[in-house]
Amino acid sequence: MSDSQPSILLVEDDYLDAMSVERELRKIKVMVPLHKAKNGREALAMLRGEPGTPKLNPLPTIILLDINMPKMNGIEFLEELRRDPFLSHLNVFIMTTSNEDSDRHAAQNLRVNGYIVKPLTFDTFNDGASSLDSFSLFLDLLKLKPQ
């Protein structure tokens, strides 16, 4: 990871969920650039700088990823991300309304850093049902101290 300013890429198709994430980040005083994509295809275009889409530079420190999206869902996005030698190292936290074991196992097999069941609230992020790793990992990756 570089020493550049940390940032987050939010991949979320639901406007209200995206606003909820922004509100929760402000609530815990995470004031880093937040880039948004509405689906996996759009996110990959931003990460790769595909024609017509400016490349995110530097790459985001963390990707907050919804699973259920149109065009390319979160699991399909993760599979593509992990196959890409320039993007496979990125830190990904899954956000989903799904509490299906199959989704959780697929995400774990694709090396996610955390699994958050929506609605997103960082107050309960450390809840065992909502994350694979601790909330402190999220803040550590952003080089922030717990509030």
Side-chain angles (χ1 to χ4, degrees), residues 104 107-108 111-116 127-128 130-134:
R104 188 177 302 267
Q108 287 173 336
R111 302 183 325 272
V112 296
N113 297 87
Y115 194 97
I116 309 161
D127 177 336
S130 291
S131 70
L132 298 172
D133 294 314
S134 70

Side-chain angles (χ1 to χ4, degrees), residues 68-100:
N68 299 312
M69 296 180 291
K71 297 185 182 178
M72 177 184 272
N73 69 38
I75 298 299
E76 293 166 335
F77 168 82
L78 262 174
E79 289 170 344
E80 185 68 23
L81 188 79
R82 295 306 186 218
R83 280 193 295 265
D84 187 313
F86 299 106
L87 303 174
S88 63
H89 69 282
L90 292 174
N91 300 297
V92 179
F93 286 80
I94 293 283
M95 300 182 313
T96 185
T97 54
S98 171
N99 206 10
E100 295 292 322

